[in-house]
PDB file of all heavy atoms in Angstrom:
ATOM      1  N   ASN A  61      51.528  31.252 -16.151  1.00 97.00           N
ATOM      2  CA  ASN A  61      51.525  31.821 -17.493  1.00 97.00           C
ATOM      3  C   ASN A  61      52.822  32.610 -17.621  1.00 97.00           C
ATOM      4  O   ASN A  61      52.959  33.691 -17.042  1.00 97.00           O
ATOM      5  CB  ASN A  61      50.306  32.731 -17.683  1.00 97.00           C
ATOM      6  CG  ASN A  61      50.272  33.385 -19.042  1.00 97.00           C
ATOM      7  OD1 ASN A  61      51.217  34.043 -19.449  1.00 97.00           O
ATOM      8  ND2 ASN A  61      49.159  33.217 -19.732  1.00 97.00           N
ATOM      9  N   GLU A  62      53.786  32.041 -18.329  1.00 95.00           N
ATOM     10  CA  GLU A  62      55.111  32.647 -18.397  1.00 95.00           C
ATOM     11  C   GLU A  62      55.115  33.950 -19.182  1.00 95.00           C
ATOM     12  O   GLU A  62      55.916  34.844 -18.883  1.00 95.00           O
ATOM     13  CB  GLU A  62      56.115  31.649 -18.955  1.00 95.00           C
ATOM     14  CG  GLU A  62      56.357  30.504 -17.986  1.00 95.00           C
ATOM     15  CD  GLU A  62      57.478  29.576 -18.410  1.00 95.00           C
ATOM     16  OE1 GLU A  62      58.310  29.979 -19.247  1.00 95.00           O
ATOM     17  OE2 GLU A  62      57.508  28.450 -17.901  1.00 95.00           O
ATOM     18  N   GLU A  63      54.256  34.098 -20.177  1.00 95.00           N
ATOM     19  CA  GLU A  63      54.208  35.338 -20.951  1.00 95.00           C
ATOM     20  C   GLU A  63      53.844  36.533 -20.071  1.00 95.00           C
ATOM     21  O   GLU A  63      54.349  37.631 -20.257  1.00 95.00           O
ATOM     22  CB  GLU A  63      53.201  35.222 -22.091  1.00 95.00           C
ATOM     23  CG  GLU A  63      53.626  34.292 -23.191  1.00 95.00           C
ATOM     24  CD  GLU A  63      52.566  34.157 -24.277  1.00 95.00           C
ATOM     25  OE1 GLU A  63      51.560  34.911 -24.262  1.00 95.00           O
ATOM     26  OE2 GLU A  63      52.750  33.284 -25.133  1.00 95.00           O
ATOM     27  N   GLU A  64      52.946  36.304 -19.121  1.00 97.00           N
ATOM     28  CA  GLU A  64      52.521  37.368 -18.204  1.00 97.00           C
ATOM     29  C   GLU A  64      53.342  37.386 -16.919  1.00 97.00           C
ATOM     30  O   GLU A  64      53.163  38.276 -16.090  1.00 97.00           O
ATOM     31  CB  GLU A  64      51.050  37.177 -17.818  1.00 97.00           C
ATOM     32  CG  GLU A  64      50.087  37.259 -18.965  1.00 97.00           C
ATOM     33  CD  GLU A  64      48.662  36.961 -18.517  1.00 97.00           C
ATOM     34  OE1 GLU A  64      48.423  36.656 -17.327  1.00 97.00           O
ATOM     35  OE2 GLU A  64      47.768  37.037 -19.375  1.00 97.00           O
ATOM     36  N   ASN A  65      54.181  36.357 -16.731  1.00 97.00           N
ATOM     37  CA  ASN A  65      54.923  36.190 -15.481  1.00 97.00           C
ATOM     38  C   ASN A  65      53.944  36.159 -14.300  1.00 97.00           C
ATOM     39  O   ASN A  65      54.104  36.869 -13.310  1.00 97.00           O
ATOM     40  CB  ASN A  65      55.971  37.288 -15.304  1.00 97.00           C
ATOM     41  CG  ASN A  65      56.971  36.941 -14.218  1.00 97.00           C
ATOM     42  OD1 ASN A  65      57.252  35.774 -13.964  1.00 97.00           O
ATOM     43  ND2 ASN A  65      57.510  37.952 -13.567  1.00 97.00           N
ATOM     44  N   MET A  66      52.902  35.324 -14.452  1.00 98.00           N
ATOM     45  CA  MET A  66      51.797  35.284 -13.488  1.00 98.00           C
ATOM     46  C   MET A  66      51.492  33.844 -13.091  1.00 98.00           C
ATOM     47  O   MET A  66      51.485  32.952 -13.935  1.00 98.00           O
ATOM     48  CB  MET A  66      50.556  35.917 -14.109  1.00 98.00           C
ATOM     49  CG  MET A  66      49.348  35.949 -13.220  1.00 98.00           C
ATOM     50  SD  MET A  66      49.498  37.144 -11.892  1.00 98.00           S
ATOM     51  CE  MET A  66      49.251  38.653 -12.782  1.00 98.00           C
ATOM     52  N   LEU A  67      51.225  33.652 -11.812  1.00 98.00           N
ATOM     53  CA  LEU A  67      50.787  32.354 -11.295  1.00 98.00           C
ATOM     54  C   LEU A  67      49.315  32.475 -10.912  1.00 98.00           C
ATOM     55  O   LEU A  67      48.953  33.309 -10.074  1.00 98.00           O
ATOM     56  CB  LEU A  67      51.608  31.947 -10.070  1.00 98.00           C
ATOM     57  CG  LEU A  67      51.191  30.650  -9.385  1.00 98.00           C
ATOM     58  CD1 LEU A  67      51.415  29.455 -10.310  1.00 98.00           C
ATOM     59  CD2 LEU A  67      51.961  30.469  -8.082  1.00 98.00           C
ATOM     60  N   TYR A  68      48.486  31.672 -11.534  1.00 97.00           N
ATOM     61  CA  TYR A  68      47.055  31.624 -11.217  1.00 97.00           C
ATOM     62  C   TYR A  68      46.835  30.460 -10.265  1.00 97.00           C
ATOM     63  O   TYR A  68      47.089  29.311 -10.612  1.00 97.00           O
ATOM     64  CB  TYR A  68      46.231  31.455 -12.499  1.00 97.00           C
ATOM     65  CG  TYR A  68      46.330  32.657 -13.406  1.00 97.00           C
ATOM     66  CD1 TYR A  68      47.323  32.735 -14.371  1.00 97.00           C
ATOM     67  CD2 TYR A  68      45.451  33.717 -13.266  1.00 97.00           C
ATOM     68  CE1 TYR A  68      47.432  33.855 -15.192  1.00 97.00           C
ATOM     69  CE2 TYR A  68      45.553  34.839 -14.086  1.00 97.00           C
ATOM     70  CZ  TYR A  68      46.549  34.898 -15.043  1.00 97.00           C
ATOM     71  OH  TYR A  68      46.650  36.003 -15.847  1.00 97.00           O
ATOM     72  N   LYS A  69      46.381  30.766  -9.058  1.00 95.00           N
ATOM     73  CA  LYS A  69      46.248  29.750  -8.013  1.00 95.00           C
ATOM     74  C   LYS A  69      44.807  29.276  -7.880  1.00 95.00           C
ATOM     75  O   LYS A  69      43.876  30.034  -8.072  1.00 95.00           O
ATOM     76  CB  LYS A  69      46.741  30.303  -6.678  1.00 95.00           C
ATOM     77  CG  LYS A  69      48.232  30.624  -6.709  1.00 95.00           C
ATOM     78  CD  LYS A  69      48.759  31.041  -5.374  1.00 95.00           C
ATOM     79  CE  LYS A  69      48.677  30.005  -4.301  1.00 95.00           C
ATOM     80  NZ  LYS A  69      49.524  28.844  -4.439  1.00 95.00           N
ATOM     81  N   HIS A  70      44.670  28.006  -7.533  1.00 94.00           N
ATOM     82  CA  HIS A  70      43.382  27.388  -7.211  1.00 94.00           C
ATOM     83  C   HIS A  70      42.367  27.480  -8.352  1.00 94.00           C
ATOM     84  O   HIS A  70      41.185  27.749  -8.120  1.00 94.00           O
ATOM     85  CB  HIS A  70      42.798  27.974  -5.928  1.00 94.00           C
ATOM     86  CG  HIS A  70      43.766  27.981  -4.776  1.00 94.00           C
ATOM     87  ND1 HIS A  70      44.350  26.833  -4.305  1.00 94.00           N
ATOM     88  CD2 HIS A  70      44.252  28.995  -4.026  1.00 94.00           C
ATOM     89  CE1 HIS A  70      45.164  27.144  -3.294  1.00 94.00           C
ATOM     90  NE2 HIS A  70      45.123  28.447  -3.115  1.00 94.00           N
ATOM     91  N   VAL A  71      42.827  27.255  -9.565  1.00 95.00           N
ATOM     92  CA  VAL A  71      41.923  27.229 -10.714  1.00 95.00           C
ATOM     93  C   VAL A  71      41.164  25.903 -10.656  1.00 95.00           C
ATOM     94  O   VAL A  71      41.760  24.836 -10.699  1.00 95.00           O
ATOM     95  CB  VAL A  71      42.701  27.330 -12.051  1.00 95.00           C
ATOM     96  CG1 VAL A  71      41.753  27.219 -13.235  1.00 95.00           C
ATOM     97  CG2 VAL A  71      43.500  28.632 -12.101  1.00 95.00           C
ATOM     98  N   ARG A  72      39.858  25.985 -10.512  1.00 95.00           N
ATOM     99  CA  ARG A  72      39.049  24.770 -10.435  1.00 95.00           C
ATOM    100  C   ARG A  72      39.110  23.988 -11.737  1.00 95.00           C
ATOM    101  O   ARG A  72      39.229  24.572 -12.811  1.00 95.00           O
ATOM    102  CB  ARG A  72      37.595  25.111 -10.147  1.00 95.00           C
ATOM    103  CG  ARG A  72      37.359  25.604  -8.743  1.00 95.00           C
ATOM    104  CD  ARG A  72      35.899  25.944  -8.576  1.00 95.00           C
ATOM    105  NE  ARG A  72      35.618  26.358  -7.221  1.00 95.00           N
ATOM    106  CZ  ARG A  72      34.600  25.897  -6.507  1.00 95.00           C
ATOM    107  NH1 ARG A  72      33.755  25.034  -7.039  1.00 95.00           N
ATOM    108  NH2 ARG A  72      34.412  26.308  -5.274  1.00 95.00           N
ATOM    109  N   GLU A  73      39.003  22.673 -11.618  1.00 96.00           N
ATOM    110  CA  GLU A  73      39.027  21.834 -12.816  1.00 96.00           C
ATOM    111  C   GLU A  73      37.928  22.232 -13.804  1.00 96.00           C
ATOM    112  O   GLU A  73      38.138  22.189 -15.017  1.00 96.00           O
ATOM    113  CB  GLU A  73      38.895  20.358 -12.427  1.00 96.00           C
ATOM    114  CG  GLU A  73      39.156  19.420 -13.582  1.00 96.00           C
ATOM    115  CD  GLU A  73      39.331  18.001 -13.129  1.00 96.00           C
ATOM    116  OE1 GLU A  73      38.295  17.319 -12.964  1.00 96.00           O
ATOM    117  OE2 GLU A  73      40.483  17.579 -12.923  1.00 96.00           O
TER     118      GLU A  73
END
Side-chain angles (χ1 to χ4, degrees):
N61 178 305
E62 292 187 19
E63 290 177 9
E64 298 176 358
N65 195 29
M66 180 72 75
L67 176 65
Y68 294 90
K69 296 186 63 68
H70 309 302
V71 177
R72 289 179 177 227
E73 190 167 85

